Amino acid sequence: MSTVPSTPRAKTGIASATPTTTRVAGSHVLQASPHYTTTRRHSLYGTEDRVVIDPGSRIWKVGFSGEGKPRDVFYADAKNYDSLWSWSRATDPAEKAEQDNMLAINLERCMRSVFHESLLAEPKARKVILVEHPLMPLYIKDMLAHILFSNLQVPSISFASSHLLSLLSVGRITGLVLDCGHLESTALPIFAARPLFPQLRTTPLAGSRFSSHIRALLLLFGSYLPPPTTLSAAVNVPAANRTTRVPQEILTDAVIEDIKTRCCFVSDALESSLSDVRASSPPGDDPSDHEPPPSSDPAMSESEFSRGSLGQESAAESEFSIISNPTHPTSSGEARNENHLQVLANMYMRHSTATDLHIRVVPPVSQQTGTGRGTLIIPGWVRERAAEVLFEGGDVDESSVAEVILDALLKVPLDLRKTMASSILITGGTAMLPGFIPRLHVELLRATAPLNTSSTRSRPTYDRYASLRPLVPHFAILNNPAPVPSSSTRANVNAGKAPAFTPATMAWVGGSLAG
């Protein structure tokens, strides 16, 4: 009889050796290792859980190692939504010193916020893992290390490549990682957990250019309803009579960020041709005015248009110079450019099914005497086609995101190309646009398609990606939400098989695993 209760007592003892604990209410349930009696292992410096920090130019992601998602995600500049740094520095020594001092102050503020507000942790007892971009300037890493060691007095810092950590988060050590961030998009091949930095390729077509393009399109094609001056005017005056062009003052960085993250998406590739552009040109116009240059596609002027509206990041006064006095162009070139943009707008509207959105915005200072807020009307085709600027190639200095991947594959050794092409991983905040990853796969296939010899004006005669054409069946994106069946077994095995982490947090999750 005494042997009957012995079995449950033995099970209870074994179960208590590996308890399941919850670190934070609502967080992930973690199973302890059977080699330890607690979930937290202690060392000379205190608790063993590392602090993982992913410091972006605009958005920071912070948390503890061993967890599946960051504890906090915040804007580095919560008031103005500006970037902490850019890839250009002042040439004047005094101005450069002032910029560096301001950057050091902002970095210290963010680092103190990480430990004292987001994590509520003692920095002296926490080792730190810093997720670094491969092209992050050395002086910024110097500042981060100085702040952590001198001001916060952390015991150790480990710098880890963001591309490698992103690949580790999906359980692989070999692949081609494309990081679409705010300042630039960077493609880096990785073989056996070793980043091949000489094969790195980059382009400025990223979140910053996307934001500038949205702003420029809204200034040209958007509509604005100012708040009525009186309540009776709101009832008696039709909305169509109150519609005006969009003032520049209402398109703040916060509004553009809200539009970019909540309203925009990426649609399927538009099979546009020169005949489509000619068919949509207004009557009386010379169709030759809308013909693209020999070395670009029909939508190339749209990229040039957004580049002109972007200008230099420091020259804010010239950011919207392209639309000053839009009804009275100063030259025939501007008139041709505007006509071409209108033709593209008509073509996009004809093929778009997206609806217009109305957003309440703070009116300009001159209109704040009215009743309530103004209304910004976003055309549906702008929401759907604003991201086209990221897929427009043909420029040597500004390759499209698909061309960056193909250029990196051209630099990879021949015996690694098939492996890299079938293990492509897309990360970064810009890649979170709905439809971005499936569209990128389509653009890869289009860029490597055979040239049309009958039309020499639409494409350059030099076929730069001819050597990659045998890899077309093997193209596979690991985190593609809608993979397309392929004739390659390798592509079918890899496509869409990555864990469902959001592209923006993959680097942080990889740092959490490494910790």
Side-chain angles (χ1 to χ4, degrees), residues 395-457:
D395 195 324
V396 176
D397 297 325
E398 295 185 353
S399 302
S400 68
V401 288
E403 290 176 346
V404 166
I405 294 178
L406 297 177
D407 291 339
L409 285 175
L410 286 176
K411 297 296 181 181
V412 168
L414 292 176
D415 52 348
L416 293 181
R417 287 183 180 179
K418 184 183 295 185
T419 303
M420 296 294 176
S422 59
S423 303
I424 302 174
L425 182 66
I426 311 299
T427 68
T430 306
M432 293 184 64
L433 285 170
F436 180 88
I437 296 178
R439 172 65 185 277
L440 179 58
H441 184 264
V442 173
E443 292 296 328
L444 289 174
L445 301 181
R446 292 180 64 183
T448 52
L451 296 181
N452 185 8
T453 56
S454 62
S455 176
T456 57
R457 291 186 59 85

Side-chain angles (χ1 to χ4, degrees), residues 268-273 276 347 351 442 446:
D268 295 335
L270 187 61
E271 298 296 336
S272 60
S273 62
D276 294 335
M347 182 176 62
H351 293 87
V442 173
R446 292 180 64 183

Side-chain angles (χ1 to χ4, degrees), residues 339-485:
N339 290 336
H340 192 92
L341 290 173
Q342 189 61 47
V343 167
L344 288 173
N346 294 336
M347 182 176 62
Y348 287 152
M349 282 188 287
R350 192 169 67 248
H351 293 87
S352 176
T353 58
T355 57
D356 298 351
L357 289 185
H358 296 236
I359 293 183
R360 297 289 184 179
V361 294
V362 178
V365 178
S366 60
Q367 298 177 357
Q368 289 184 357
T369 56
T371 57
R373 295 193 170 192
T375 303
L376 175 64
I377 303 176
I378 307 173
W381 70 268
V382 171
R383 298 171 47 220
E384 184 178 358
R385 295 297 173 181
E388 294 294 320
V389 67
L390 302 176
F391 302 102
E392 293 171 1
D395 195 324
V396 176
D397 297 325
E398 295 185 353
S399 302
S400 68
V401 288
E403 290 176 346
V404 166
I405 294 178
L406 297 177
D407 291 339
L409 285 175
L410 286 176
K411 297 296 181 181
V412 168
L414 292 176
D415 52 348
L416 293 181
R417 287 183 180 179
K418 184 183 295 185
T419 303
M420 296 294 176
S422 59
S423 303
I424 302 174
L425 182 66
I426 311 299
T427 68
T430 306
M432 293 184 64
L433 285 170
F436 180 88
I437 296 178
R439 172 65 185 277
L440 179 58
H441 184 264
V442 173
E443 292 296 328
L444 289 174
L445 301 181
R446 292 180 64 183
T448 52
L451 296 181
N452 185 8
T453 56
S454 62
S455 176
T456 57
R457 291 186 59 85
S458 60
R459 283 175 179 257
T461 56
Y462 173 62
D463 192 358
R464 57 191 294 198
Y465 301 125
S467 60
L468 299 180
R469 198 158 295 136
L471 299 177
V472 168
H474 303 285
F475 281 129
I477 300 179
L478 299 175
N479 55 339
N480 189 352
V484 180

Side-chain angles (χ1 to χ4, degrees), residues 201-423:
R201 289 297 176 266
T202 182
T203 177
L205 297 184
S208 177
R209 177 62 60 82
F210 182 40
S211 300
S212 172
H213 194 59
I214 293 176
R215 178 182 278 112
L217 288 177
L218 290 177
L219 288 172
L220 270 182
F221 303 106
S223 303
Y224 174 69
L225 290 175
T229 55
T230 60
L231 293 177
S232 60
V235 178
N236 300 328
V237 180
N241 295 342
R242 294 189 291 117
T243 303
T244 63
R245 298 197 64 165
V246 178
Q248 297 180 10
E249 295 85 355
I250 69 172
L251 294 181
T252 61
D253 290 340
V255 172
I256 295 296
E257 184 73 13
D258 196 31
I259 294 173
K260 182 171 68 172
T261 55
R262 298 177 59 188
C263 304
C264 293
F265 63 98
V266 182
S267 185
D268 295 335
L270 187 61
E271 298 296 336
S272 60
S273 62
L274 190 57
S275 59
D276 294 335
V277 178
R278 286 177 173 174
S280 58
S281 49
D285 284 357
D286 185 7
S288 63
D289 289 344
H290 308 306
E291 290 186 2
S295 61
S296 64
D297 53 14
M300 194 58 205
S301 64
E302 187 180 1
S303 178
E304 296 171 355
F305 156 67
S306 71
R307 191 186 316 142
S309 65
L310 176 65
Q312 298 294 330
E313 291 189 7
S314 60
E317 65 276 2
S318 63
E319 190 170 356
F320 313 110
S321 59
I322 192 169
I323 64 157
S324 58
N325 301 324
T327 57
H328 303 285
T330 58
S331 64
S332 60
E334 285 191 25
R336 181 178 304 178
N337 192 27
E338 279 205 12
N339 290 336
H340 192 92
L341 290 173
Q342 189 61 47
V343 167
L344 288 173
N346 294 336
M347 182 176 62
Y348 287 152
M349 282 188 287
R350 192 169 67 248
H351 293 87
S352 176
T353 58
T355 57
D356 298 351
L357 289 185
H358 296 236
I359 293 183
R360 297 289 184 179
V361 294
V362 178
V365 178
S366 60
Q367 298 177 357
Q368 289 184 357
T369 56
T371 57
R373 295 193 170 192
T375 303
L376 175 64
I377 303 176
I378 307 173
W381 70 268
V382 171
R383 298 171 47 220
E384 184 178 358
R385 295 297 173 181
E388 294 294 320
V389 67
L390 302 176
F391 302 102
E392 293 171 1
D395 195 324
V396 176
D397 297 325
E398 295 185 353
S399 302
S400 68
V401 288
E403 290 176 346
V404 166
I405 294 178
L406 297 177
D407 291 339
L409 285 175
L410 286 176
K411 297 296 181 181
V412 168
L414 292 176
D415 52 348
L416 293 181
R417 287 183 180 179
K418 184 183 295 185
T419 303
M420 296 294 176
S422 59
S423 303

Side-chain angles (χ1 to χ4, degrees), residues 29-200:
V29 177
L30 299 179
Q31 183 72 28
S33 170
H35 300 287
Y36 298 93
T37 57
T38 62
T39 58
R40 293 181 179 271
R41 302 179 294 280
H42 295 273
S43 67
L44 180 64
Y45 297 108
T47 54
E48 192 75 15
D49 291 332
R50 268 75 166 176
V51 170
V52 183
I53 303 176
D54 185 1
S57 60
R58 294 189 73 198
I59 298 179
W60 286 39
K61 295 169 279 290
V62 298
F64 294 107
S65 62
E67 297 184 352
K69 62 181 180 180
R71 289 286 185 97
D72 193 15
V73 178
F74 61 90
Y75 283 93
D77 187 357
K79 293 183 179 180
N80 302 321
Y81 292 85
D82 288 337
S83 300
L84 285 184
W85 63 79
S86 62
W87 299 136
S88 60
R89 298 182 73 186
T91 55
D92 182 63
E95 187 177 354
K96 181 190 296 185
E98 183 179 357
Q99 287 182 358
D100 291 348
N101 289 335
M102 289 301 302
L103 178 59
I105 292 173
N106 290 327
L107 289 178
E108 182 178 352
R109 171 181 55 80
C110 292
M111 280 297 180
R112 291 190 178 277
S113 174
V114 168
F115 286 96
H116 300 154
E117 297 178 14
S118 300
L119 303 181
L120 300 178
E122 172 61 35
K124 295 181 180 179
R126 299 284 182 175
K127 297 180 180 180
V128 175
I129 296 177
L130 273 178
V131 181
E132 64 161 343
H133 191 274
L135 297 180
M136 179 182 287
L138 185 60
Y139 75 96
I140 296 179
K141 293 195 288 186
D142 225 1
M143 289 182 185
L144 292 172
H146 178 76
I147 292 170
L148 288 172
F149 279 134
S150 301
N151 295 359
L152 299 176
Q153 299 180 5
V154 299
S156 70
I157 303 174
S158 300
F159 287 92
S161 172
S162 59
H163 290 70
L164 176 58
L165 294 181
S166 299
L167 201 59
L168 294 178
S169 68
V170 299
R172 296 174 183 267
I173 59 174
T174 298
L176 178 61
V177 183
L178 174 68
D179 184 6
C180 297
H182 177 68
L183 295 178
E184 62 182 356
S185 300
T186 308
L188 178 63
I190 298 175
F191 178 72
R194 290 171 176 82
L196 306 179
F197 290 111
Q199 281 76 39
L200 183 143

